[in-house]
Amino acid sequence: MRMGITGYEPSFLFGIDEVRQAHGARLAALAGRRLTGFAVVRFVEDGSWYADCPVVLDFEGVRVEISHHDLNSFWMGWGEIDTTAALANWEWFELTPAWSDRDDRLAPFVGRELSEAALLEWCPPAESRDMARGTVAVEFRFGDDYLRIMNGLDENHVELGPAAPEHVRYHLQLSE
């Protein structure tokens, strides 16, 4: 158990090729499903999002769990995390983390059908000294609207709207 999350035993992947090989086909298979719910970890006392914990999305019973760590570590799980279990071993911390189904960025997508899932790789210009080069994001397209779970340099970051031009999009197929 990591971060007190039941079922969260990450084995991190590095780079677009590893992520695409491990999860591309399953992500592609989500197309046509509706997002029926989600879970993020928030602190009970102030409601702030704890971005170090995985983001869990439920597509009509198929749950995908996404987490970024360090500058280039990526983990994705499929129905492994128990969001009904309390987070354990946080007695030492001044705030209490708990699973929540509240998030203003994610809530508008609930009930909508997923058009496509894609993987994105951050590829800034070659002369750039961007530390995020090569990080992997997962993009979910709902019609003309986009939701990305990406690396926020050692934590998860949620981004909406069209991707920046520095992102290279890898369209996924059922037979990755």
Side-chain angles (χ1 to χ4, degrees):
M1 193 161 49
R2 291 187 42 120
M3 295 176 18
I5 299 172
T6 302
Y8 181 51
E9 297 290 337
S11 177
F12 289 104
L13 300 174
F14 302 91
I16 191 71
D17 292 334
E18 283 188 17
V19 175
R20 189 173 182 179
Q21 182 177 13
H23 301 289
R26 287 184 86 176
L27 279 169
L30 293 175
R33 291 180 171 271
R34 294 191 181 283
L35 180 67
T36 53
F38 63 86
V40 295
V41 173
R42 294 192 171 279
F43 291 114
V44 172
E45 292 78 6
D46 64 6
S48 63
W49 178 40
Y50 187 47
D52 286 351
C53 292
V55 174
V56 179
L57 303 173
D58 189 326
F59 290 93
E60 296 179 319
V62 178
R63 291 193 19 196
V64 59
E65 304 141 349
I66 301 167
S67 184
H68 293 87
H69 184 69
D70 294 330
L71 294 178
N72 63 351
S73 304
F74 176 91
W75 175 80
M76 184 178 289
W78 297 89
E80 298 174 28
I81 293 175
D82 182 356
T83 59
T84 64
L87 279 69
N89 303 318
W90 280 81
E91 297 78 17
W92 59 274
F93 197 66
E94 64 269 10
L95 297 174
T96 309
W99 287 106
S100 172
D101 62 359
R102 291 182 305 104
D103 192 286
D104 291 341
R105 298 158 302 177
L106 302 175
F109 295 99
V110 173
R112 295 188 60 190
E113 184 177 306
L114 181 68
S115 305
E116 177 189 27
L119 292 172
L120 283 70
E121 180 181 22
W122 183 252
C123 295
E127 66 275 2
S128 168
R129 302 178 86 153
D130 193 328
M131 291 176 32
R133 178 182 309 284
T135 58
V136 176
V138 182
E139 181 177 73
F140 301 96
R141 182 171 62 89
F142 298 85
D144 292 333
D145 296 319
Y146 295 87
L147 164 66
R148 273 176 307 291
I149 311 298
M150 50 196 296
N151 191 317
L153 301 180
D154 193 28
E155 63 185 14
N156 296 301
H157 178 72
V158 174
E159 188 174 88
L160 307 176
E166 292 83 1
H167 275 118
V168 173
R169 177 174 281 102
Y170 293 84
H171 295 280
L172 305 173
Q173 307 210 357
L174 293 174
S175 60
E176 287 290 323

